[in-house]
Amino acid sequence: MSTQSTAASITNTAAFDAAQAVIPGGVDSPVRAFGSVGGTPRFMTRADGPYLYDVEGNRYVDLVCSWGPMLLGHQHPDVVAAVHEAVDAGLSFGTSTLAETALAELITQRVPVERVRFVSTGTEATMTALRLARGVTGRNLIVKFAGCYHGHSDGLLAAAGSGVATQALPGSAGVTAAAASETIVVDYNSPEQLEQVFAEHGENIAAVITEAVPCNMGVVEPAAGFNAFLREITRRHGSLLIWDEVLTGFRASDAGGWGLTGREEGWTPDVWCFGKVIGGGMPTAGLGGSAEIMNHLAPLGPVYQAGTLSGNPVAMAAGHATLARADASVYERVQTASDALRTGLVEALETAGVDHSIQRAGTLFSVAFGTSERGVRNYADAQAQETFRYAPFFQSLLSSGVYLPPSVFEAWFVSAAHDDAAIEHVLEALPAAARAAAAATPED
Ligand SMILES: *Cc1c(COP(=O)(O)O)cnc(C)c1O
């Protein structure tokens, strides 16, 4: 049950109407729109632990977690205190600060990178990573996987997963043929296609960019050995491996998606992209790698990159407090909460007779309807699912006070603040949602 608290000052519908009058579609990121699930986007006023509260005073168990950053839950006291302290000292200086070094040190202690450059968004991180790869190799082509999302820069919007898939756009208007022509898109989990592309274009390929675990077409597990193969084939051809951990970084595991594969298998990518968790809810992202590669960036090297608010002290404080607090107990709790949700989801769907498959990687998972036979190995599989079952499933949970991503092509996000009470609330709401999914027809 959604908890009605204080009297509403404004309804979600009125808030959405007002927003649409001044903001395209009423949202500042298309993934927040309710286009594929119907109804009115909820306007949140505050958050606490595992909960969000909207303008009408409704409470929701938050399974979006700001699309990943809120690993500790909302308003964690350590993070709030660190941010308050930073704010009191000054919002932005446009100079170097100790906070940047401190956060970079934490990152280099967690994953094998020697240098980190901070930027403000994941889009900037991946965009810069491409420029860096091209600058280092002197080559122009980039290989990406269909269904992987790497932010919204021109060359990376081809077959870019969730946001684009939910909006049913074929990529994006405004991206020139020239920009698109330097991106080669191949199917995820297909070593054969990569071999073919490298055989044809190998000497012009600057980099392969991949999500450490694809999470923007729903979660797609890398087949055993697939990431190690990416490492091997890029090295064999003198290309770089760009490892996008913007979503998975310090969330899928203590060492992100790399912690699930590379750490055990003993390999490291060349350029890493971080975001989401490293900002703890503030606009911060970054890229990292060996000193040798990263020193190609200005001011040491010829690859230019800059940012007025890069390494902003308030954002650094939030990120540092989040990562510093994210010890083994945090990942244990996130895993336990995630496992409980996944188990409850499977049980509810099986009871209701909804054909589905669950994809998971570490603490992240997602559901795809009508896919039990093949599972989901790539974007084509993800798109072939029974998407029509998601809207009624989502709406049922929403009306019970559970806020899921408004798209079936997204992972479910939990935090260490998702305690037994919050999880229990979702588990109680799942059977009705599963029945709504079961009753859905393609015409709905
Ligand atoms: C969110 C995301 C990005 C883009 O980050 P923004 O901060 O939204 O620009 C890039 N790559 C992946 C894998 C993401 O999930």
Side-chain angles (χ1 to χ4, degrees), residues 29 67 120-126 148-152 162 209-216 244-248 273-276 283-285 410 413:
S29 190
W67 303 93
S120 298
T121 66
T123 293
E124 269 186 281
T126 55
C148 281
Y149 180 67
H150 303 290
H152 63 94
S162 58
I209 182 167
T210 187
E211 288 185 60
V213 177
C215 291
N216 285 288
D244 183 349
E245 292 258 19
V246 172
L247 190 152
T248 50
C273 301
F274 305 106
K276 298 188 169 110
T284 278
E410 303 285 357
F413 296 95

Side-chain angles (χ1 to χ4, degrees), residues 47-51 65 69-77 79 251 280 322 414-418:
D48 186 25
Y51 300 111
C65 288
M70 311 317 295
L71 179 71
L72 304 180
H74 296 283
Q75 301 299 90
H76 188 283
V79 180
R251 171 169 275 285
T322 298
V414 297
S415 78
H418 282 72

Side-chain angles (χ1 to χ4, degrees), residues 103-162:
L103 182 54
E105 283 172 355
L106 274 191
I107 292 171
T108 60
Q109 286 157 16
R110 289 266 193 131
V111 293
V113 302
E114 295 171 335
R115 301 284 186 274
V116 182
R117 168 65 56 83
F118 291 112
V119 294
S120 298
T121 66
T123 293
E124 269 186 281
T126 55
M127 183 187 80
T128 305
L130 298 197
R131 186 180 303 142
L132 179 59
R134 285 171 167 145
V136 168
T137 61
R139 302 172 175 186
N140 65 328
L141 296 178
I142 301 292
V143 177
K144 85 175 282 286
F145 296 104
C148 281
Y149 180 67
H150 303 290
H152 63 94
S153 68
D154 281 2
L156 287 171
L157 268 182
S162 58

Side-chain angles (χ1 to χ4, degrees), residues 89-111:
L91 296 182
S92 182
F93 310 122
T95 69
S96 292
T97 61
L98 299 174
E100 294 158 73
T101 310
L103 182 54
E105 283 172 355
L106 274 191
I107 292 171
T108 60
Q109 286 157 16
R110 289 266 193 131
V111 293

Side-chain angles (χ1 to χ4, degrees), residues 192-269:
E192 300 76 22
Q193 286 186 24
L194 278 165
E195 287 285 11
Q196 207 178 324
V197 160
F198 269 97
E200 231 168 284
H201 304 284
E203 61 198 30
N204 294 320
I205 294 174
V208 172
I209 182 167
T210 187
E211 288 185 60
V213 177
C215 291
N216 285 288
M217 47 177 152
V219 174
V220 175
E221 298 165 59
F226 183 66
N227 282 323
F229 168 75
L230 295 184
R231 174 64 291 182
E232 186 277 318
I233 194 170
T234 45
R235 187 157 284 155
R236 181 168 14 122
H237 290 272
S239 310
L240 300 190
L241 178 59
I242 302 176
W243 188 245
D244 183 349
E245 292 258 19
V246 172
L247 190 152
T248 50
F250 313 113
R251 171 169 275 285
S253 79
D254 61 322
W258 179 79
L260 305 173
T261 50
R263 180 162 58 186
E264 269 124 69
E265 296 165 5
W267 50 264
T268 57

